């Protein structure tokens, strides 16, 4: 309420009480002031009431909520369902204009503020998370893959002749498709096996550059966060190489914001070499619903160029989600989540190690991967060639999600390119294994339950090797087509061999 | 509750009452059954309670809501803010998988159902709205422009040699950019002036095809819904031409679902010729927040190809919005909205006509445009060359949104292409004019208020021609950079000439 | 946001857009200003966004929402569940203080404002609805019965010697109990049969007064709204009588606010005689959840005395509901509801009349009852003595709610007092009948459906008279214990006679 | 969804995924089953999604949500505002029937279940909290005071001759008024000073009983939870005395559920003597909004008699709040809250003790009071006779709520009875003091902040004794009428003496 209304209220309720109420209101306003002034994520999280007050304030600034508005355009922010209006806090106009997803909208001052502030708060968080020299970023309502596509499409205008993208192999389908969709030819560079780890083969990358000619290469497309035993690419060296050959460099930092190591790689890469843009998922890093990404870079004009490449306006929903989330957590809360994640990574590693040794397997040694771990399934495989895939299915039906088994010898063809050893980031990784990750928001209970159930599954599988009926029965009853519930899984598991064996 | 729980309830509350309650539950279940069985928009709209019951049911089927789930993956649908969880009905996993935006997710049976049902219900509505032979469609969480880009990117794989897109001019920036972003060269075909209308110059299109060679042309990119005095493209003839030359045909049907005429054009085009896909905005046709589109076509495999081109999963938010909205309205409610829109189009036309004649202007004769109308601003222009832009600014400050003024002589360069007469879809439209549209959800009050305020503005402007101070003062106080609040406006209105005049 | 924050926003988003947003905010503030200034129900209803903005503003003024508050008291408005906090808009402190339910709370300026404004808005609505000279009122979170009790308890302190309450009979259990609970002895005055109507027997009332002695009578407790064929008491004459004998007069106006006739009776009664307080239900008059009432009167000190009689603070929930509702509807919306109700009363009467004549029954002639109607069930009764109760049960299972059947010969003992002919307000009403009412919020569809289903039930019952099995079977399957679903029904319908007959 | 709908879903989404979803649903159903079966507070709290699922299930069982219902009664659960409907989860019919607040409603099976389950869960919690032999209880939508009144009104019917209520003094206005409102004469028994504590003067109570005659006494009305230095009444001895003299005994256990000591007193009282009913606040014990209470007892028929005394139905809002809260917390969560409260009581005591000694005051020795503490303000008083009240005002403006100062010599007349030394529970308590309490939900931060601010206030006050201007100025600017923000405060603090002194 404005001061006039507070004064009127003093005639109804005792002035001293109203005055205290109005002071209380000022403390909310003060938080909003700091946000507007500094454009940073507040150190302390806001209460739900401050957040909702703020969102309501933004909403009343949009023309669809003007009490006296009359609309005769083709897009007036009208909403047919009040359920829908409410869930969007009546912010209906989305973000951006036809020219630019970061542009402000005349009809929607509130949504425009939301958009600007979100980008600004997110930029602050990227700095806090470790990329201190990031210059600009924006939230885009598309997941990581499509956001990478947008980066590639933008680069096309700078490098009209280029046809190839150099890509150190990572077996994640949408990464590969992001290049195909943009119309480029991915040049897959196999990883080098170093101990248990799969790492960037820098020499192979350089060979490819020289072979194809720098001017024919749109960019190098590297990756930080990934499933063990692959580890983050050698971003520093790649960035230096890109600088040397004058080739753009796009980093897929999908869920790397949550890891100080991944962020450090990017920071260092930009310092010593060239990184044009790095892309990260909103949902994987900030615990919001799927569907948004952050495109960030060290050169503001290039980031703007990307934002201007998005034709038309876009959903404000991912921006709203991440803004609410970061205001709720505060910088402090987000940092706390990150440090908890780190601790639970150690806990998970330790628990997996114990479990592995109990089952005569081992935790693969992948010290460069700060998020994902892998435990060999060598013995399991030795007992039966189906046991590895059975394990995946069993975990699925036991509500262990995200624990992905990687058997040997998968083969997968995507858009004409055949990947041997698919899912393992390598044509011939020596062991089958199981992945588990410590991602932001994981709890100690998640780890404990997972280890417990995994243990039981492994025991059951061993017992069953003589008489496989009961597992088979489970598979028949639950013909889980997907063994891993992970993004990278493409193969539908068919039961037919098992079934036919059973019928004999 | 399941039958066991109903039975237990009978021990607490009288059995006959509980039985009636359980029967009442069945009537909700029955509605859900019909939806699942038929995949169609229900004829009668659902109550909010049925909708929320249904969404809650979907949510409990997603793994992030499993009571016993433990997650050790990199993406587990965790949500940090309960405000965010609630506004998404706890449906966090988005839609699609890395391979395909239409794919089902093992971790999210509920979200997958939501996605499938939404696409199915939307398909039904497209049929009801007039494109009876549409074969397949899907909702994509991107606005129209980016969705068109996705179509073009898909076609690239079918026509790797093609570089050009034939495009009958429409001055809407994101349409043009959708082609640029996809990496193609738009071939702008100027419209032909027929009476007051601007229509497709079919001969010019055919000339271009022959000039460039069909194999070098990615597609024809035509438009239905547009601002008067431009009218929908001659879709039938274009479709026939595309069939003849074996060129794909993508139709931008941005807000055309709301018009039976636009839908009829598409239906006929597909019947007599070739339409590969047609794209429509969710927000403009279904009164939901900005950020979603429907990509539809007559050949299911091609539509699937587009959906597979989207790399990675995507936000479920637009799908959720349109599903809630259509279940709320029912087919009946949506048809009612469409018929009201049609009636109000006539009302608006009539009111504008009266107003025009009162101010010695005229309503342009654009019978082929079923949504947008234009009133000449000839006399206004005659009085002062600034008056037209002033009118735009005045309407903005008076909360008339969507009424867009189009002065003569605008020039705009987008991505290297210069459009003379920008905003008017023509290099030399003879008159300045003002647009108003009757779009879905418009009310009689919108029209009445708009006419009243427009009348006052026009009167004020005439009075002020001798001493322009007061308007200028308004402009200084409200230096509205955008005169039209419309997507097509690109030019920032600068006050400098006015200000400098004022200082003399 | 305050002006400082708007100024800061102008650095982020174009000043002219922000200014328009801030003006839009002022239009909400303006509505709030009018409410605070005048304390009246706004003529036009508010939008949901204005209402929620206002409630949020109130909430931030309560100490439980102070950002820097520390609480070391025994009641600090803490909330354990965020679901609970949200559904109360974080207004947790309730209303009133230990001294007075209308008192303001130091800890809760916002809740105090809410309370004062609600009472003020409700007072305005009572005037609009017809009691123009009402002086004061307050909302109390108790239903009508307990609110009447509170009035009686207050009167006790004024008339310590009085033991009796004179009460023209109305067969509504909570009315009777309200007197018992307060510790008084109800003196039941039977109604006089005039035509079909049951009306106040004024002579009998006066006889009782003289017989018992005015000083021994706490008050006369009269009733307006009631089920036909009883009609509202002769309030004017009773009020005059109370004035003459100097006896307080409390009017039970349970659902009378919705009827201009009932309100007129009270207005007239107060003008010509004595009415100390009149009590009305919130839910029955204002379409809010059950649980609140308005206690109103013509003498402000007496109304305050009642409010001070309520020991301790109380739930704000009913106040919040009615305030939200009246702000949503506006005076205009509420008046519209009332006039629709009136129209549908005529429609219901006409439909019932046709139906009655089709079944050889008749619509009882009760012109003084403006809400409830009664249709005789004479012929039905003639066919079988169980048919009348069977009809009630059938309507229940067919989801016709509120249509209450009144058989002859019910007898009911409440707190030691035996009512012969219970439910019919008379010891010997000549006919069994069925009630239907046109209450606020009723729709044309309600009436149509009710008539249709009633018609079918009556037809079925007639057919079944020869072989009663099928109905009996229904009763066995649905042993609805209550035939009427109405407050007045006390008797549990037992199936045993029917069942035993069936087994023969 | 029912099994039919799950089967249909399997045609849309892979059967194994749907099956897992349907199993997930069953785990929610299972929780609901346990609740229905056992009627106990679940050990582990439920997730919000289970709670909302359950409430939605209840709502669909109420007739106002029947899809095919037609209503022609006077109360059909219609809701005008969707904001209101939503905040009540569409449970509109309230609880109880005209006959009995605990009765089930034919029109509202869901609301009836809600009511029954709430009472059952609350009973379980009372047992867990220490009154193991409690037989029955019900939630009533009235605060403690009015609930006590209802108990007294019920007793009246059992003891028609009784006029007096014996009441060991506690200076809480609504306690006193609860007896006045019920129409009885409170017989105030002064407390005995034992050390610093004020305790029940058992001899004085017995003297009064004999003086007035047991048959003339309605009941003894004792109190557990109270502000130090008063301590809980000697419930055991009073209960024994009541048994001996055959006098009913009603215990005001306002915020005693949170203290195992208070609950133990009641349990013991009932074991060795007579307790007819004990009444507790919902908001003070369960962190829900103000406005509900629990009436409980050891004799089921008597508790039912009270519930039948409530005339008419009532708001379900407090029941809904407490049910949501207890399901959210689970028994485990509630017990955790209680043990935290206990710990923080010790922390508060220790901090207050240190603070007191720093300011030459002392923490009063009140070991029998498990919730409230008192610190002497002797020195402060010595410095200036206004300092004590000034301290109260200063704390108010510094957002320390609930810290109540008690000066000497207050006098207050309530309903004709004059209390000397009001607020201190004694006619002549020797010292002024300040109260602070450790109530359920208090945090360590509350305590720390309170101590810090209190320390500053005390320092400021001492400094200011020479030149009192600045404080006076504060008081003028903030003429806080209430020094304590507590229920017991009745006196309006007038500034006039200070002001007049200032003007000299």
């Amino acid at each position: 309420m404005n001061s006039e209304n507070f004064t009127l209220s003093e005639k109804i309720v005792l002035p001293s009480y109203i005055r205290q109420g109005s002071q209380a209101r000022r403390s909310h306003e003060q938080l909003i002031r700091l946000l507007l002034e500094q454009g940073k994520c507040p150190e302390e999280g806001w209460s739900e009431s401050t957040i909702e007050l703020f969102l309501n304030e933004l909403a009343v600034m949009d023309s669809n909520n003007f009490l006296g508005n009359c609309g005769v355009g083709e897009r007036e922010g009208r909403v047919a369902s009040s359920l829908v209006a409410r869930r969007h806090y009546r912010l209906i106009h989305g973000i951006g204009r036809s020219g630019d997803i970061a542009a402000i909208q005349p009809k929607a001052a509130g949504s425009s503020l939301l958009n600007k502030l979100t980008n600004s708060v997110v930029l602050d968080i990227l700095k806090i998370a470790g990329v201190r020299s990031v210059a600009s970023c924006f939230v885009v309502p598309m997941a990581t893959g499509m956001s990478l596509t947008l980066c590639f499409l933008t680069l096309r205008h700078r490098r009209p002749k280029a046809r190839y993208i150099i890509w150190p192999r990572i077996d994640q389908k949408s990464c590969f498709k992001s290049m195909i969709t943009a119309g480029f030819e991915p040049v897959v560079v196999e990883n080098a096996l170093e101990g248990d780890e799969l790492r960037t083969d820098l020499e192979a990358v350089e060979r490819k550059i020289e072979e194809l000619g720098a001017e024919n290469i749109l960019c190098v497309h590297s990756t930080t966060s990934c499933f063990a035993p692959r580890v983050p690419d050698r971003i520093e060296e790649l960035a230096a190489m890109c600088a040397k050959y004058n080739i753009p460099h796009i980093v897929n930092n999908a869920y790397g914001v949550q890891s100080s190591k991944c962020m450090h790689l990017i920071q260092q890469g930009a310092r010593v070499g060239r990184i044009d843009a790095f892309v990260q998922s909103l949902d994987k890093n900030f615990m919001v619903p799927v569907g948004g990404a952050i495109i960030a870079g060290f050169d503001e004009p290039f980031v703007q160029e990307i934002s201007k490449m998005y034709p038309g306006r876009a959903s404000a929903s991912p921006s709203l989600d991440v803004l609410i989330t970061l205001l709720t957590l505060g910088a402090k809360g987000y940092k706390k989540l990150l440090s908890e994640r780190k601790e639970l990574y150690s806990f998970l590693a330790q628990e997996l190690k114990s479990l592995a040794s109990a089952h005569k397997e081992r935790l693969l040694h992948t010290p460069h991967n700060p998020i994902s771990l892998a435990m060999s399934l060598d013995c399991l495989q030795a007992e039966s060639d189906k046991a590895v895939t059975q394990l995946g299915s069993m975990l699925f039906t036991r509500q262990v999600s995200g624990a992905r088994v990687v058997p040997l010898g998968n083969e997968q063809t995507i858009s004409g390119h055949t990947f041997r050893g698919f899912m393992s980031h390598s044509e011939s990784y020596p062991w089958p294994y199981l992945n588990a990750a410590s991602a932001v928001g994981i709890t100690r209970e998640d780890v404990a339950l997972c280890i417990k159930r995994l243990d039981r599954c492994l025991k059951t599988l061993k017992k069953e090797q003589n008489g496989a009926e009961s597992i088979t029965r489970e598979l028949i009853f639950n013909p889980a087509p997907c063994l891993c519930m992970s993004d990278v899984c493409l193969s539908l598991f068919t039961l037919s061999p098992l079934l036919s064996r059973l019928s004999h």
Side-chain angles (χ1 to χ4, degrees), chain A:
Chain A
M1 301 203 296
N2 55 23
S3 58
E4 190 182 5
N5 285 345
F6 275 115
T7 306
L8 283 169
S9 300
E10 292 183 12
K11 291 180 189 160
I12 302 171
V13 166
L14 228 68
S16 62
Y17 302 167
I18 294 295
R19 264 202 294 275
Q20 197 171 31
S22 120
Q23 274 167 18
R25 196 186 195 296
R26 272 200 285 283
S27 54
H28 294 275
E29 290 281 1
Q30 184 68 1
L31 294 177
I32 296 171
R33 189 179 67 74
L34 278 173
L35 176 67
L36 291 169
E37 213 168 63
Q38 308 179 342
K40 292 186 178 170
C41 185
E43 186 59 24
E44 296 285 338
W46 288 7
S47 70
E48 283 200 357
S49 73
T50 307
I51 291 173
E52 294 205 322
L53 198 72
F54 179 51
L55 295 176
N56 280 337
E57 294 277 5
L58 292 183
V60 295
M61 295 171 77
D62 277 8
S63 61
N64 60 303
N65 298 313
F66 289 0
L67 296 179
N69 201 63
C70 65
V72 290
E74 83 289 6
R75 188 184 53 78
E76 295 293 336
R78 296 182 183 111
V79 194
S81 154
S82 74
L83 287 179
V84 170
R86 297 178 64 78
R87 81 181 201 89
H88 291 280
Y89 292 91
R90 299 187 182 88
L91 292 158
I92 307 302
H93 278 285
I95 55 173
R97 298 188 72 186
S98 43
D100 182 354
I101 200 183
I104 54 179
Q105 302 188 60
K107 273 183 187 171
S111 291
S112 299
L113 259 178
L114 170 82
N115 191 17
K116 292 281 184 193
L117 287 171
T118 302
N119 291 342
S120 173
V121 164
V122 162
L123 188 71
D124 184 43
I125 283 289
L126 290 182
K127 289 177 184 169
I128 288 171
V131 184
R132 301 207 181 281
S133 58
V134 60
S136 180
C137 77
F138 65 100
V139 167
V140 67
M142 306 188 297
T144 317
M146 193 71 187
S147 301
L148 288 166
T149 299
L150 190 67
C151 294
F152 302 142
L153 291 172
T154 308
L155 285 177
R156 179 201 297 276
H157 291 267
R158 294 198 160 190
R159 297 170 78 82
K161 281 178 57 191
R163 286 180 47 205
Y164 303 105
I165 296 177
I166 305 279
W167 181 61
R169 174 171 171 182
I170 169 162
D171 289 2
Q172 215 278 343
K173 203 179 176 184
S174 67
C175 306
F176 185 74
K177 294 195 69 175
S178 69
M179 301 177 281
I180 300 290
T181 297
F184 295 96
E185 191 173 310
V187 178
V188 183
V189 179
E190 287 292 323
N191 296 298
L193 185 67
E194 303 184 11
D196 287 344
E197 292 185 338
L198 290 164
R199 304 194 71 183
T200 324
D201 186 340
L202 289 168
E203 281 176 30
V205 170
E206 195 154 18
R207 263 199 314 276
K208 275 292 173 193
I209 292 175
E210 291 184 341
E211 183 186 320
L212 299 167
E215 69 284 5
N216 296 317
I217 295 167
L218 186 84
C219 64
V220 170
H221 171 198
S222 64
T223 305
T224 58
S225 52
C226 58
F227 289 105
R230 194 195 190 281
V231 299
D233 276 320
R234 298 179 186 268
I235 302 287
E236 269 187 71
E237 294 86 340
L238 287 174
M241 206 182 287
C242 286
K244 175 177 159 198
Y245 289 96
N246 201 20
I247 297 175
H249 184 194
I250 305 292
V251 183
N252 173 4
N253 187 39
Y255 44 103
V257 182
Q258 66 192 281
S259 152
S260 54
K261 273 197 198 171
C262 292
M263 293 304 265
H264 182 69
L265 286 175
I266 292 169
Q267 173 66 15
Q268 282 304 96
R271 204 178 53 80
V272 306
R274 174 171 183 170
I275 291 179
D276 294 71
F278 57 106
V279 175
Q280 35 269 311
S281 158
L282 279 186
D283 57 288
K284 289 180 184 161
N285 290 298
F286 298 104
M287 301 172 76
V288 292
V290 162
I294 304 166
I295 300 178
F298 300 90
D299 176 39
E300 190 162 358
F302 180 61
V303 174
Q304 275 179 18
E305 210 175 308
I306 307 173
S307 92
K308 281 186 179 145
M309 193 54 56
Y310 189 103
R313 40 174 64 72
S315 170
S317 206
S319 297
L320 183 56
D321 288 338
V322 76
L323 184 63
I324 292 175
T325 299
L326 288 175
L327 292 179
T328 301
L329 292 171
K332 202 167 155 185
Y334 188 62
K335 286 182 280 189
K336 185 156 170 279
L337 276 176
L338 297 194
S339 74
E340 284 169 1
R341 187 205 71 77
K342 213 166 175 174
E343 276 170 41
L344 286 170
Y345 170 83
S346 304
F347 179 57
L348 176 62
Q350 179 190 324
E351 292 291 299
L352 268 184
K353 199 168 183 175
S354 310
L355 182 79
S357 76
H359 289 276
K360 294 183 188 155
E361 304 285 0
R362 65 190 188 84
L363 181 68
L364 301 187
H365 185 63
T366 54
H368 288 96
N369 193 318
I371 297 169
S372 173
L373 292 157
M375 178 180 104
S376 73
L377 295 177
D378 234 14
C379 295
L380 191 65
Q381 169 104 348
E383 297 193 29
S384 140
D385 51 343
K386 282 294 167 206
V388 170
T389 48
Q390 284 168 14
L391 177 61
S393 179
M394 288 172 80
L395 291 171
F396 175 76
T397 58
R398 277 155 189 78
Q399 301 197 340
V400 178
S401 62
R404 151 192 186 266
V405 298
V406 180
L408 293 180
N410 252 337
E411 196 170 298
Q412 176 81 27
T413 301
I414 311 173
S415 308
H417 187 100
T418 298
F419 290 88
R420 291 202 293 138
F422 193 73
M423 286 178 75
S424 73
H425 320 287
S426 164
E427 299 210 332
S428 55
Y429 196 74
W431 312 283
Y433 56 84
L434 171 138
N435 278 131
S438 169
V440 69
I442 193 173
T443 62
R444 188 162 282 266
E445 206 184 5
D446 280 322
V447 175
L449 266 178
C450 161
I451 295 294
K452 196 169 140 193
R453 292 180 190 171
L454 184 51
D455 186 37
R456 275 201 219 141
C457 288
L458 288 169
K459 283 177 183 157
T460 308
L461 277 170
K462 278 178 199 164
K463 260 186 263 165
E464 298 287 344
Q465 291 317 321
N466 301 327
E469 291 78 15
S470 71
I471 306 151
T472 314
R473 225 173 296 123
E474 172 173 16
L475 284 166
I476 293 161
F477 188 70
N478 287 294
C482 167
L483 304 173
C484 62
M485 295 190 291
S486 158
D487 289 10
V488 306
C489 176
L490 300 159
S491 51
L492 268 211
F493 175 61
T494 60
L495 270 176
S496 37
L498 261 156
L499 286 172
S500 56
R501 235 196 314 155
L502 195 76
S503 60
H504 282 81

